[in-house]
Every structure is written in C-alpha cells, then in structure tokens.
Amino acid sequence: LDEKAFLEHVDEILDENERILKQELKEFKGGLFFFYFETLDMVQHMFWRYLDSRHPLYKNSPLYQGTIFSYYEKMDRIIGEVLSTMDKDTTLIILSDHGFNSFRRAVHLNRWLLENGYLFLKEGAQESKEFFENVDWSRTKAYALGFGGIYLNRIGREYYGIIGEAEAGDLKKAIKNGLEQLRDPKNNDSVIRSVYAQEEVFKGPYAKDAPDLFVGFNAGYRASWQTALGGAPNTLIEDNRRKWSGDHLI
C-alpha cells in the first residue's frame, strides 16, 4: 500500500472503533469499561521516517510530516467527547502500553555471537537462515532469538546443550560486557544501552525458560527481523529500509 491507501484504511478502522466505543458506552451501566485503540501504534510504525531526518528512508514531505501528530489530535478529540459524557464520580485513565522511537539500523545479534566465538556454523557455511538452519550446536555456546533475547545453550534445557551451570555466570558476563561496548562502524554510535541478566527482569516459576540475557538498545537501533527468527546473516548492522520505521522494541 502507498501512504494514501494505508491512511484510508487506518481511518476506516478508527471510524469503526469510534462507533463501537460510543455504542458500548451508551449501553454501559457501571463498573470498569475498557477500550483499546491501535491507531497511534500503526501510524507511528509506518510514518516515523517522515519525522527523523537521520532515518534511511527519511522524506521531507509536507504532506506526511505531520501525520503522527494529526492522529494524536484525532485521539484527543475522541477523549474529549468521552470526557463530556462523564459524571464527577467517574475516573478516566488514558494508558499507553509503550512509547516509540526511530528504528534506523537493524542489529543481527546472532552475527555478533558468531563473530565473537559464541555461536558456530556448520563447516562451509557463511551465514544461517531462519530457525538456525546452519548452526553447529555441538560448539555453540549462545544464540539469539526474539527481539533481544539471548539464550545460553544449556545442558538440560536445550536439546544439544553444552553449557553447564558452573560456566554460565562467566559466559553471561562476557557476552554482556562485549555487547555493551559495541559501536556502529557506520557512525561510531553506541548500539546497546544495557544488557540485562535473566534474574534482573524475569520472575516466577518459568523464569528459567526465559532468555539468559536481554538486550536493551540505544535509540535508533533494534534487533533485526532475522534475529527474531534465529537467523545469522553475513552482516552485523544494516540500514532499516522498510517503511516500518518506528518501533518500541528498544
């Protein structure tokens, strides 16, 4: 879809949501009423490239540079209309599930693990496609999966695990320290803000199955789409040249 067709679709969904909201509010008698609008999420994912002059797909377009702000104004209008119907005993909570920032550069975490001796490929392979196609598990110590998760190849958890509990702590520290020093060869910017240990962020009975480390990127960077599915391309960092130019997986 081009920008015009995409926004027509966004408006169609927003209008439908607004009609549902108003109808349900008319029928609501009391208690907790919850309604979710996805509009701002969709628009920011796709139109951040019109705000960020450093983005690879930046366009100086008067037609679309104000798009994100205009949709905040549309949401403000809807909120104002809801407020006008509320009595003094009703509380309105406006809650965002995340923020947004520019997604300029994609980071292939499995390539970093490969180049630093933590992930190994089968003999003759230069890269690995999705789902660890060419990974040699007999030598691999760690791998990335999802948008920032790094797992140790643990004995007893992974099918071909080789890392025991005794060496897990030092291995996690080494990966964390290495990643936090990573700089972008294109501009020398710091890529990663912080790497969090499993025990810092995951709690509960299934925490042991969570990533052993979780990567927090600096603004402008994000784990690549290939990383999310276990890929290890033959480059470390590359420009994000997709219209999906804003994100919150930071």
Side-chain angles (χ1 to χ4, degrees), residues 30 37-38 43 96 118 136 158 163 166 181 189 203 215 235-236 245 248:
F37 284 92
E38 194 179 13
V43 170
S96 172
Y118 300 112
D136 180 354
E158 275 70 13
I163 301 300
Q181 295 174 38
D189 284 352
K203 309 296 180 186
V215 179
T235 185
L236 180 58
S245 53
H248 42 86

Side-chain angles (χ1 to χ4, degrees), residues 7-229:
L7 290 176
E8 287 174 354
H9 191 48
V10 168
D11 287 336
E12 183 180 347
I13 295 171
L14 178 58
D15 290 344
E16 182 180 51
N17 284 346
E18 186 175 359
R19 289 196 303 271
I20 295 170
L21 168 67
K22 291 178 178 178
Q23 180 61 35
E24 293 299 323
L25 278 174
K26 287 179 183 177
E27 300 176 6
F28 181 63
K29 303 303 180 186
L32 174 68
F33 182 96
F34 171 86
F35 201 91
Y36 173 66
F37 284 92
E38 194 179 13
T39 305
L40 293 177
D41 184 270
M42 293 187 292
V43 170
Q44 288 181 94
H45 275 306
M46 304 305 289
F47 283 82
W48 206 273
R49 58 203 158 98
Y50 288 101
L51 288 182
D52 179 17
S53 60
R54 293 180 61 191
H55 195 279
L57 294 186
Y58 173 71
K59 292 181 180 179
N60 185 6
S61 168
L63 188 60
Y64 294 116
Q65 277 184 316
T67 296
I68 290 174
F69 302 113
S70 71
Y71 278 90
Y72 269 97
E73 291 173 353
K74 291 182 181 185
M75 294 308 306
D76 283 346
R77 176 187 57 77
I78 293 172
I79 291 167
E81 291 178 7
V82 172
L83 277 169
S84 69
T85 68
M86 288 170 44
D87 60 36
K88 62 181 179 62
D89 297 319
T90 301
T91 299
L92 174 65
I93 299 173
I94 304 166
L95 180 65
S96 172
D97 53 346
H98 54 69
F100 257 92
N101 213 314
S102 185
F103 171 24
R104 303 183 193 114
R105 300 270 282 162
V107 183
H108 301 295
L109 290 176
N110 282 311
R111 172 53 54 174
W112 185 90
L113 293 170
L114 172 63
E115 292 179 356
N116 287 272
Y118 300 112
L119 183 143
F120 290 84
L121 300 182
K122 296 173 183 176
E123 188 174 349
Q126 300 300 312
E127 61 180 349
S128 180
K129 303 297 184 183
E130 295 177 355
F131 308 116
F132 308 103
E133 180 182 322
N134 293 321
V135 169
D136 180 354
W137 294 107
S138 68
R139 295 187 292 160
T140 289
K141 299 176 182 179
Y143 61 96
L145 183 66
F147 290 106
I150 294 178
Y151 298 79
L152 303 188
N153 190 19
R154 287 180 177 268
I155 296 171
R157 184 180 69 178
E158 275 70 13
Y159 192 84
Y160 297 108
I162 63 171
I163 301 300
E165 194 62 37
E167 57 186 315
D170 288 343
L171 182 56
K172 286 166 63 174
K173 288 178 184 176
I175 295 173
K176 170 182 168 67
N177 291 338
L179 280 171
E180 288 179 347
Q181 295 174 38
L182 177 62
R183 305 197 79 86
D184 189 342
K186 181 179 181 179
N187 50 33
N188 203 38
D189 284 352
S190 175
V191 175
I192 289 166
R193 180 175 180 177
S194 186
V195 179
Y196 304 92
Q198 180 190 82
E199 56 271 18
E200 292 181 79
V201 289
F202 298 106
K203 309 296 180 186
Y206 302 104
K208 68 182 186 304
D209 297 321
D212 294 279
L213 297 166
F214 208 90
V215 179
F217 293 90
N218 275 318
Y221 296 91
R222 199 202 76 172
S224 66
W225 299 103
Q226 293 93 326
T227 296
L229 294 176

